[in-house]
Amino acid sequence: MSNTEFQKWTRLVTVQQDLVTPIRAIIDYQEILTGEARRLGLDDVREHLEKAGIAAQSLNETVTQLLEPGASLDLDSRRELGGSQAKLRHELRTPLNAIIGYSELALEDLPASETADCLRPDIERLLAEARRMVSRINAIGDSGAPDAAPGDPGRSVITELLRTLHPGKDELHDAEVGRILVVDDNEANRDLLCRRLLQEGHRVELVASGAEALVLLEREDFDLILLDLIMPGMNGIEVLRRLKSDPRLYQIPVIMISGLSETDAVIRCIEAGAEDYLPKPFNLVLLRARINACLERKRWRSREQEYLSQLKIEKDRSEALLRNILPDPIVLRLNQGETIIADRFENASILFADIVGFTPTAATMSPAHLVGRLAEVFSAFDDLALRLGVEKIKTIGDAYMAAAGLPSPRADHVEVLAEFALGALDLLRRVNATGGTDFRVRIGLHAGPVVAGIIGRHKFIYDVWGDTVNIASRLESQGAPDRIQVSDVVRQALAHRYDFEPRGTLTLKGRGEASTFLLVTR
């Protein structure tokens, strides 16, 4: 469309839009009034309003035809009023005069009754709209649009519309190009589309059926699919549904192409997931615009997916770090918004393991060697805890604290922690054998009620408190190297499966005398 043609078309749109609003108001009031007159039995009034309605429909059709292809109306500003603008005014005024005349008759024939008088305000509104439209028709000047004063908001709206619809070269964006799959059983259509798309700079693949398209899409990526609706074997909607049910393919935009222009066909395609619908024969401008719009949307969706993927990677990384610090159920509760976590467990087991004589040994090692050896020992303990489902609580210098039965209670908490203690001794022997060290460890184990939770706002940890914790710590500190010292509570719980040696009665700090035992073997 040339610039002159575009200007003319825009003026026509302006005229039409300026006239449509009062016409719709006239038709709506006429329909309401006719119904009310019929309901009230005012036959004379109803007949006048029905004739006004016929004139209103004629007026509406005249305005609608303004933009139809082949419209003869010429709004060239250089033409005189004796040209098409005068013809337009005549065509509009004729039905408008009829509307006004019949409406005035309806007003005059209204009987003097309260019931009939309720129609009067709406008839007056109808007349007001009709007279306002006469003013607008009279205002259609040589510009082809109703006169508007400088600074009139309506003028600025039209100017902005012109600029938006017909941008200058500086405002034009580069067209998107992509890899397009054309699916059409008609060879001529495929060839025609291919030629046009290649001219636009796209890369194009052609297939003659939905089945071929699905096979090709299994092994190759496309930015857009032009899909024929009517094809033998598998029609376009069936292909579309297959694409939209496939997680790998559902984001590829699909433009349906078809000789059918029925609204039902368009609705079915859009409901099935089509991005757009283009009827045959193709309008090249519309084809280009819709392809560009689809490719642009796909580009933004791809960028959004990249951002989402990156966010997920970062979230997973943060989650993994958090799960290295806290038990999984606690991480879940924090993610769900719980801020204060403190639970009491009536039955849980606590273990302390401390490397004997670590301090003098550390004095003989370089810092790197020291940390490396300690990390090797505790990493082996961590792996063992993970395998057994034991919860590592923390390390304190060269001591290791673990628990069982929390944060998720379990009936075999004593037994599983005993297995961990025995396994830890085996691991330490292997580490010493391969690393040339002579680490030895004391282990204390007790079971009973505890309180567990999270404290602190920064660098917080999941910790455990209570007498059970204190007793387990005392059993460790007063234990023997490479031995597992347990309380009588633990011995009784494991007597059915493990052997014990009596250790005698020990005075545990803060607890007094207590019978203790050494866990020997299974």
Side-chain angles (χ1 to χ4, degrees), residues 484-499:
I484 305 166
Q485 183 161 251
V486 304
S487 63
D488 191 42
V489 172
V490 172
R491 184 195 65 81
Q492 291 182 36
L494 301 178
H496 66 288
R497 182 176 173 188
Y498 296 85
D499 294 329

Side-chain angles (χ1 to χ4, degrees), residues 169-470:
K169 290 182 179 178
D170 294 341
E171 299 176 84
L172 291 174
H173 301 291
D174 293 336
E176 293 284 341
V177 294
R179 188 161 190 252
I180 299 177
L181 175 62
V182 176
V183 187
D184 195 322
D185 63 310
N186 186 292
E187 185 177 359
N189 283 341
R190 292 198 305 272
D191 180 64
L192 186 61
L193 268 174
C194 181
R195 287 168 183 264
R196 288 176 170 173
L197 294 172
L198 289 174
Q199 286 176 344
E200 299 292 326
H202 301 291
R203 291 171 293 146
V204 186
E205 292 290 337
L206 307 174
V207 293
S209 69
E212 290 179 64
L214 293 173
V215 170
L216 186 59
L217 286 163
E218 284 296 320
R219 63 173 190 269
E220 297 187 28
D221 295 326
F222 291 90
D223 299 309
L224 175 66
I225 301 172
L226 296 180
L227 179 60
D228 189 19
L229 180 59
I230 303 174
M231 295 185 293
M234 184 184 298
N235 65 47
I237 290 184
E238 291 177 77
V239 177
L240 185 60
R241 287 176 175 154
R242 293 273 294 272
L243 295 175
K244 297 305 171 184
S245 64
D246 188 327
R248 196 180 68 83
L249 304 176
Y250 83 98
Q251 286 199 343
I252 302 177
V254 178
I255 296 178
M256 301 300 294
I257 51 177
S258 173
L260 291 178
S261 57
E262 285 78 4
T263 302
D264 283 350
V266 178
I267 292 173
R268 295 288 88 78
C269 292
I270 298 299
E271 287 179 340
E275 197 84 7
D276 212 331
Y277 189 99
L278 198 61
K280 298 176 183 175
F282 302 115
N283 178 306
L284 187 56
V285 176
L286 282 180
L287 176 68
R288 182 187 299 123
R290 286 173 174 171
I291 287 176
N292 285 342
C294 283
L295 292 176
E296 176 74 6
R297 285 197 291 271
K298 182 179 185 300
R299 186 171 69 84
W300 280 104
R301 279 199 290 265
S302 299
R303 185 173 294 180
E304 180 185 17
Q305 289 302 314
E306 289 175 11
Y307 289 149
L308 290 175
S309 298
Q310 190 60 38
L311 282 175
K312 186 176 184 311
I313 291 172
E314 296 299 329
K315 183 175 180 296
D316 290 346
R317 187 177 298 162
S318 299
E319 195 94 345
L321 288 172
L322 200 57
R323 289 180 189 282
N324 280 336
I325 299 170
L326 301 173
D328 287 356
I330 300 300
V331 173
L332 181 62
R333 290 167 66 179
L334 287 173
N335 286 339
Q336 290 173 344
E338 201 168 342
T339 55
I340 299 176
I341 296 177
D343 304 309
R344 180 179 177 81
F345 298 88
E346 295 302 331
N347 287 293
S349 295
I350 304 297
L351 174 147
F352 282 91
D354 186 73
I355 297 177
V356 180
F358 180 78
T359 301
T361 303
T364 65
M365 297 180 179
S366 67
H369 190 205
L370 170 66
V371 173
R373 299 308 298 168
L374 201 56
E376 186 177 359
V377 173
F378 286 168
S379 295
F381 287 4
D382 287 348
D383 292 341
L384 178 62
L386 191 62
R387 288 201 301 275
L388 294 175
V390 167
E391 195 63 50
K392 171 189 175 182
I393 302 299
K394 58 186 172 182
T395 58
I396 312 164
D398 57 345
Y400 191 96
M401 179 183 178
L406 57 88
S408 300
R410 56 187 295 177
D412 62 344
H413 57 91
V414 183
E415 185 171 339
V416 76
L417 208 52
E419 286 296 317
F420 176 82
L422 291 168
L425 292 180
D426 287 340
L427 285 172
L428 196 59
R429 282 192 283 271
R430 293 178 200 172
V431 170
N432 286 332
T434 58
T437 53
D438 187 26
F439 290 139
R440 307 179 73 186
V441 67
R442 287 191 310 263
I443 296 177
L445 174 59
H446 183 50
V450 298
V451 171
I454 292 179
I455 56 172
R457 292 185 177 179
H458 305 288
K459 299 181 181 179
F460 46 72
I461 64 168
Y462 184 68
D463 212 340
V464 187
W465 303 272
D467 272 353
T468 302
V469 177
N470 296 332

Side-chain angles (χ1 to χ4, degrees), residues 119-131:
L119 301 183
R120 189 177 303 278
D122 280 347
I123 296 176
E124 290 173 345
R125 291 188 186 99
L126 190 157
L127 276 167
E129 291 294 337
R131 288 165 181 154

Side-chain angles (χ1 to χ4, degrees), residues 82-159:
S84 57
Q85 292 178 44
K87 181 173 179 289
L88 168 67
R89 292 175 185 173
H90 171 73
E91 290 181 353
L92 295 177
R93 281 174 179 156
T94 299
L96 202 48
N97 287 336
I99 293 169
I100 294 173
Y102 284 119
S103 299
E104 289 174 342
L105 285 174
L107 201 56
E108 292 171 3
D109 288 348
L110 272 180
S113 70
E114 185 176 349
T115 303
D117 213 41
C118 68
L119 301 183
R120 189 177 303 278
D122 280 347
I123 296 176
E124 290 173 345
R125 291 188 186 99
L126 190 157
L127 276 167
E129 291 294 337
R131 288 165 181 154
R132 187 175 300 119
M133 190 168 177
V134 171
S135 300
R136 296 191 182 198
I137 291 172
N138 292 335
I140 297 176
D142 291 341
S143 64
D147 290 339
D152 186 325
R155 180 185 291 270
S156 63
V157 169
I158 297 302
T159 303

